[in-house]
Amino acid sequence: MDENRCSQIANTLNKLPLSIGREQSEQFLQYYNSLVQYNQVMNLTAITDFEEVIVKHFLDSAALVNIIDLNKVETIIDVGTGAGFPGIPLKILFPHLKITLLDSLQKRVKFLQTIAKELKMENIEVIHGRAEDLGQKKRYREQYDLCVSRAVANLSVLSEYCVPFVKVGGSFISYKAENIEEEVKSAESAIRILNCAPAQIFKITLPESSGLTRSFIRIEKKESLAVKYPRKAGLPIKKPL
Protein backbone atom coordinates (compact mmCIF):
# COMPACT_ATOMS: atom_id res chain seq x y z
CA MET A 1 0.00 0.00 0.00
CA ASP A 2 1.12 3.57 -0.69
CA GLU A 3 2.27 4.91 2.69
CA ASN A 4 1.88 8.57 1.77
CA ARG A 5 -1.62 8.13 0.39
CA CYS A 6 -2.74 6.12 3.39
CA SER A 7 -1.40 8.83 5.68
CA GLN A 8 -3.15 11.52 3.66
CA ILE A 9 -6.49 9.71 3.94
CA ALA A 10 -6.07 9.23 7.71
CA ASN A 11 -4.94 12.81 8.32
CA THR A 12 -7.90 14.22 6.39
CA LEU A 13 -10.59 12.05 7.97
CA ASN A 14 -9.14 12.49 11.44
CA LYS A 15 -10.10 16.18 11.22
CA LEU A 16 -13.61 14.93 11.91
CA PRO A 17 -14.43 13.47 15.35
CA LEU A 18 -12.93 10.16 14.20
CA SER A 19 -9.86 8.05 14.79
CA ILE A 20 -8.77 6.26 11.63
CA GLY A 21 -6.59 3.17 11.98
CA ARG A 22 -4.08 1.79 9.50
CA GLU A 23 -6.38 -0.97 8.29
CA GLN A 24 -9.15 1.53 7.59
CA SER A 25 -6.90 3.89 5.64
CA GLU A 26 -5.72 0.92 3.55
CA GLN A 27 -9.33 -0.02 2.86
CA PHE A 28 -10.08 3.52 1.72
CA LEU A 29 -7.08 3.46 -0.60
CA GLN A 30 -8.08 0.10 -2.03
CA TYR A 31 -11.60 1.45 -2.55
CA TYR A 32 -10.18 4.49 -4.34
CA ASN A 33 -8.00 2.37 -6.62
CA SER A 34 -10.90 0.11 -7.59
CA LEU A 35 -13.19 3.10 -8.12
CA VAL A 36 -10.75 4.64 -10.59
CA GLN A 37 -10.14 1.31 -12.33
CA TYR A 38 -13.83 0.47 -12.81
CA ASN A 39 -14.66 4.07 -13.71
CA GLN A 40 -12.73 3.57 -16.94
CA VAL A 41 -15.37 1.13 -18.19
CA MET A 42 -18.51 2.39 -16.42
CA ASN A 43 -19.75 5.79 -15.31
CA LEU A 44 -19.39 5.69 -11.53
CA THR A 45 -18.19 9.20 -10.72
CA ALA A 46 -16.99 12.37 -12.41
CA ILE A 47 -14.51 12.86 -9.56
CA THR A 48 -11.37 10.72 -9.87
CA ASP A 49 -8.51 12.94 -8.65
CA PHE A 50 -7.14 11.39 -5.45
CA GLU A 51 -7.33 14.50 -3.27
CA GLU A 52 -10.79 15.38 -4.58
CA VAL A 53 -12.11 11.89 -3.88
CA ILE A 54 -10.80 12.06 -0.31
CA VAL A 55 -12.65 15.31 0.34
CA LYS A 56 -15.74 15.18 -1.90
CA HIS A 57 -16.53 11.49 -1.44
CA PHE A 58 -14.79 10.05 1.64
CA LEU A 59 -14.76 13.08 3.96
CA ASP A 60 -18.18 14.21 2.78
CA SER A 61 -19.68 10.76 3.44
CA ALA A 62 -18.02 10.57 6.87
CA ALA A 63 -19.21 14.05 7.91
CA LEU A 64 -22.42 12.35 9.06
CA VAL A 65 -20.59 11.74 12.38
CA ASN A 66 -21.24 15.40 13.19
CA ILE A 67 -24.98 14.72 13.12
CA ILE A 68 -25.48 11.29 14.68
CA ASP A 69 -23.53 8.90 16.92
CA LEU A 70 -23.07 5.92 14.62
CA ASN A 71 -21.74 3.82 17.49
CA LYS A 72 -25.36 3.71 18.69
CA VAL A 73 -26.73 2.70 15.27
CA GLU A 74 -26.92 -0.95 14.20
CA THR A 75 -28.69 -1.00 10.83
CA ILE A 76 -28.42 1.41 7.89
CA ILE A 77 -29.77 1.45 4.37
CA ASP A 78 -28.19 3.71 1.74
CA VAL A 79 -30.79 4.50 -0.94
CA GLY A 80 -29.49 5.37 -4.40
CA THR A 81 -25.96 4.58 -3.29
CA GLY A 82 -24.37 4.90 -6.75
CA ALA A 83 -20.68 4.15 -6.39
CA GLY A 84 -21.18 3.42 -2.69
CA PHE A 85 -21.46 6.86 -1.12
CA PRO A 86 -21.99 7.32 1.75
CA GLY A 87 -22.53 3.63 2.59
CA ILE A 88 -19.09 2.15 1.93
CA PRO A 89 -17.13 4.87 3.80
CA LEU A 90 -19.51 4.53 6.76
CA LYS A 91 -19.02 0.75 6.78
CA ILE A 92 -15.22 1.15 6.69
CA LEU A 93 -15.33 3.59 9.60
CA PHE A 94 -17.89 1.64 11.65
CA PRO A 95 -17.42 -2.07 10.87
CA HIS A 96 -20.15 -3.07 13.36
CA LEU A 97 -22.85 -1.60 11.09
CA LYS A 98 -25.21 -3.92 9.29
CA ILE A 99 -25.60 -2.03 6.06
CA THR A 100 -27.70 -2.38 2.92
CA LEU A 101 -26.73 -0.62 -0.30
CA LEU A 102 -29.60 -0.08 -2.73
CA ASP A 103 -29.25 1.04 -6.33
CA SER A 104 -31.44 0.78 -9.41
CA LEU A 105 -28.56 0.18 -11.87
CA GLN A 106 -27.28 -3.39 -12.12
CA LYS A 107 -23.74 -2.50 -13.19
CA ARG A 108 -23.24 -0.35 -10.11
CA VAL A 109 -24.57 -3.17 -7.94
CA LYS A 110 -22.01 -5.56 -9.45
CA PHE A 111 -19.24 -3.03 -8.76
CA LEU A 112 -20.35 -2.69 -5.13
CA GLN A 113 -20.51 -6.46 -4.66
CA THR A 114 -16.93 -6.64 -5.93
CA ILE A 115 -15.84 -3.88 -3.53
CA ALA A 116 -17.48 -5.62 -0.57
CA LYS A 117 -15.52 -8.81 -1.39
CA GLU A 118 -12.24 -6.96 -1.97
CA LEU A 119 -12.54 -5.16 1.35
CA LYS A 120 -13.63 -8.40 3.11
CA MET A 121 -16.72 -6.77 4.55
CA GLU A 122 -19.23 -8.69 6.62
CA ASN A 123 -22.86 -7.81 7.30
CA ILE A 124 -23.24 -5.87 4.07
CA GLU A 125 -25.97 -6.47 1.51
CA VAL A 126 -26.02 -4.98 -1.98
CA ILE A 127 -29.36 -5.06 -3.72
CA HIS A 128 -30.62 -4.08 -7.15
CA GLY A 129 -34.06 -2.53 -7.25
CA ARG A 130 -36.25 0.53 -6.91
CA ALA A 131 -36.95 2.08 -3.53
CA GLU A 132 -40.70 2.19 -4.27
CA ASP A 133 -40.75 -1.60 -4.69
CA LEU A 134 -38.38 -2.57 -1.88
CA GLY A 135 -40.09 -0.22 0.58
CA GLN A 136 -43.23 -2.36 0.31
CA LYS A 137 -41.43 -5.64 1.05
CA LYS A 138 -41.57 -6.99 4.61
CA ARG A 139 -37.87 -7.83 4.59
CA TYR A 140 -36.92 -4.16 4.21
CA ARG A 141 -39.92 -2.11 5.35
CA GLU A 142 -39.35 -0.41 8.72
CA GLN A 143 -36.26 -2.54 9.37
CA TYR A 144 -33.54 0.12 9.70
CA ASP A 145 -32.39 2.45 12.45
CA LEU A 146 -31.17 4.89 9.84
CA CYS A 147 -31.67 5.56 6.15
CA VAL A 148 -29.15 7.78 4.36
CA SER A 149 -29.04 9.12 0.83
CA ARG A 150 -26.79 11.37 -1.23
CA ALA A 151 -29.05 10.81 -4.24
CA VAL A 152 -29.98 13.87 -6.29
CA ALA A 153 -33.75 14.14 -5.88
CA ASN A 154 -36.22 16.61 -4.45
CA LEU A 155 -36.64 16.12 -0.70
CA SER A 156 -40.39 15.46 -1.02
CA VAL A 157 -39.69 12.61 -3.43
CA LEU A 158 -36.67 11.34 -1.54
CA SER A 159 -38.64 11.22 1.70
CA GLU A 160 -41.25 8.93 0.17
CA TYR A 161 -38.46 6.69 -1.13
CA CYS A 162 -36.60 6.54 2.17
CA VAL A 163 -38.94 6.88 5.15
CA PRO A 164 -40.65 3.49 4.54
CA PHE A 165 -37.36 1.73 5.34
CA VAL A 166 -36.98 3.43 8.73
CA LYS A 167 -38.12 1.95 12.04
CA VAL A 168 -40.42 4.03 14.23
CA GLY A 169 -38.06 6.21 16.26
CA GLY A 170 -35.37 5.99 13.58
CA SER A 171 -34.25 8.67 11.15
CA PHE A 172 -33.80 9.45 7.50
CA ILE A 173 -30.84 11.74 6.82
CA SER A 174 -30.45 13.35 3.41
CA TYR A 175 -27.15 14.81 2.21
CA LYS A 176 -27.95 18.10 0.47
CA ALA A 177 -26.25 21.21 -0.89
CA GLU A 178 -25.75 24.31 1.25
CA ASN A 179 -28.87 26.32 0.38
CA ILE A 180 -31.69 23.97 1.20
CA GLU A 181 -34.25 25.97 3.19
CA GLU A 182 -36.75 26.45 0.34
CA GLU A 183 -36.64 22.76 -0.58
CA VAL A 184 -37.20 21.74 3.02
CA LYS A 185 -40.16 24.10 3.31
CA SER A 186 -41.74 22.66 0.17
CA ALA A 187 -41.33 19.14 1.63
CA GLU A 188 -43.17 19.94 4.89
CA SER A 189 -46.44 18.41 3.69
CA ALA A 190 -44.77 15.19 2.52
CA ILE A 191 -42.87 14.84 5.80
CA ARG A 192 -46.09 15.26 7.78
CA ILE A 193 -48.00 12.75 5.59
CA LEU A 194 -45.18 10.24 6.16
CA ASN A 195 -45.68 10.49 9.96
CA CYS A 196 -42.39 12.24 10.64
CA ALA A 197 -41.36 15.12 12.88
CA PRO A 198 -40.45 18.42 11.18
CA ALA A 199 -37.10 18.29 9.41
CA GLN A 200 -33.96 19.49 11.17
CA ILE A 201 -31.26 21.22 9.13
CA PHE A 202 -27.57 20.88 10.02
CA LYS A 203 -24.85 22.70 8.08
CA ILE A 204 -21.28 21.45 8.23
CA THR A 205 -18.28 23.14 6.65
CA LEU A 206 -15.94 20.35 5.63
CA PRO A 207 -12.26 20.63 6.56
CA GLU A 208 -9.79 20.54 3.68
CA SER A 209 -12.47 21.65 1.26
CA SER A 210 -11.99 25.35 0.67
CA GLY A 211 -15.14 26.17 2.58
CA LEU A 212 -17.40 23.53 1.02
CA THR A 213 -20.57 23.33 3.11
CA ARG A 214 -22.79 20.28 3.33
CA SER A 215 -26.36 20.43 4.59
CA PHE A 216 -27.81 17.42 6.36
CA ILE A 217 -31.58 17.10 6.66
CA ARG A 218 -32.62 14.84 9.52
CA ILE A 219 -36.19 13.53 9.53
CA GLU A 220 -37.32 11.42 12.50
CA LYS A 221 -40.09 8.88 12.04
CA LYS A 222 -42.75 9.12 14.77
CA GLU A 223 -45.32 6.51 13.72
CA SER A 224 -45.69 3.57 11.35
CA LEU A 225 -46.45 4.46 7.77
CA ALA A 226 -49.76 3.95 5.98
CA VAL A 227 -49.56 0.86 3.76
CA LYS A 228 -50.14 2.92 0.60
CA TYR A 229 -46.68 4.51 0.95
CA PRO A 230 -44.46 4.34 -0.92
CA ARG A 231 -46.71 4.55 -3.94
CA LYS A 232 -45.95 2.44 -7.00
CA ALA A 233 -42.81 3.05 -9.03
CA GLY A 234 -42.79 6.35 -10.87
CA LEU A 235 -45.61 8.03 -8.95
CA PRO A 236 -43.54 9.79 -6.25
CA ILE A 237 -41.55 11.70 -8.84
CA LYS A 238 -44.56 12.40 -11.10
CA LYS A 239 -46.85 13.50 -8.27
CA PRO A 240 -44.82 14.46 -5.18
CA LEU A 241 -46.72 14.46 -1.90
Side-chain angles (χ1 to χ4, degrees):
M1 287 290 180
D2 187 310
E3 293 281 348
N4 291 332
R5 286 193 160 188
C6 284
S7 295
Q8 189 173 350
I9 291 168
N11 290 338
T12 300
L13 291 176
N14 281 334
K15 292 183 179 179
L16 295 170
L18 290 168
S19 181
I20 308 300
R22 177 54 188 253
E23 182 179 351
Q24 290 167 308
S25 61
E26 288 179 350
Q27 284 183 304
F28 273 113
L29 182 56
Q30 189 173 353
Y31 182 22
Y32 168 76
N33 289 336
S34 293
L35 179 68
V36 172
Q37 177 186 344
Y38 281 88
N39 202 60
Q40 294 175 359
V41 294
M42 64 176 73
N43 182 25
L44 293 168
T45 177
I47 300 169
T48 56
D49 175 78
F50 178 67
E51 293 186 357
E52 279 196 281
V53 169
I54 294 177
V55 172
K56 295 181 179 179
H57 283 326
F58 297 166
L59 184 68
D60 183 56
S61 295
L64 183 68
V65 299
N66 288 291
I67 309 305
I68 189 169
D69 184 355
L70 289 171
N71 290 303
K72 297 180 179 179
V73 173
E74 292 185 5
T75 53
I76 294 183
I77 184 168
D78 178 4
V79 173
T81 187
F85 305 114
I88 294 288
L90 296 179
K91 178 64 176 173
I92 292 173
L93 294 168
F94 298 91
H96 76 279
L97 291 172
K98 296 177 181 178
I99 194 159
T100 299
L101 306 177
L102 170 61
D103 200 84
S104 61
L105 198 60
Q106 183 67 55
K107 67 179 182 179
R108 289 198 290 254
V109 168
K110 288 182 178 178
F111 164 72
L112 293 169
Q113 289 170 335
T114 300
I115 290 296
K117 287 181 181 179
E118 288 181 353
L119 300 183
K120 299 178 181 178
M121 290 180 163
E122 298 179 351
N123 293 320
I124 184 167
E125 181 181 16
V126 185
I127 50 176
H128 172 243
R130 298 184 64 137
E132 303 101 311
D133 299 327
L134 274 295
Q136 286 288 0
K137 293 187 180 296
K138 185 177 180 180
R139 180 177 175 182
Y140 302 104
R141 187 178 178 87
E142 298 191 336
Q143 296 300 307
Y144 297 90
D145 300 321
L146 177 65
C147 176
V148 293
S149 183
R150 283 208 323 171
V152 180
N154 182 277
L155 186 62
S156 296
V157 176
L158 205 54
S159 294
E160 187 172 356
Y161 290 162
C162 293
V163 170
F165 294 109
V166 179
K167 297 176 181 178
V168 174
S171 294
F172 160 47
I173 298 181
S174 175
Y175 288 62
K176 287 288 186 178
E178 180 176 2
N179 298 313
I180 193 63
E181 285 78 7
E182 187 174 330
E183 185 176 337
V184 171
K185 187 170 181 60
S186 69
E188 286 177 354
S189 176
I191 292 168
R192 186 171 57 253
I193 289 169
L194 296 169
N195 294 338
C196 294
Q200 297 174 284
I201 302 174
F202 301 87
K203 295 192 176 185
I204 305 296
T205 299
L206 301 180
E208 300 287 334
S209 63
S210 302
L212 177 66
T213 299
R214 165 65 78 187
S215 292
F216 291 92
I217 314 304
R218 183 172 182 173
I219 299 170
E220 184 179 353
K221 188 169 183 176
K222 306 302 288 184
E223 298 177 18
S224 288
L225 202 57
V227 293
K228 62 181 178 180
Y229 301 115
R231 293 168 292 167
K232 65 180 183 180
L235 261 182
I237 199 163
K238 289 179 182 176
K239 296 182 178 180
L241 294 174

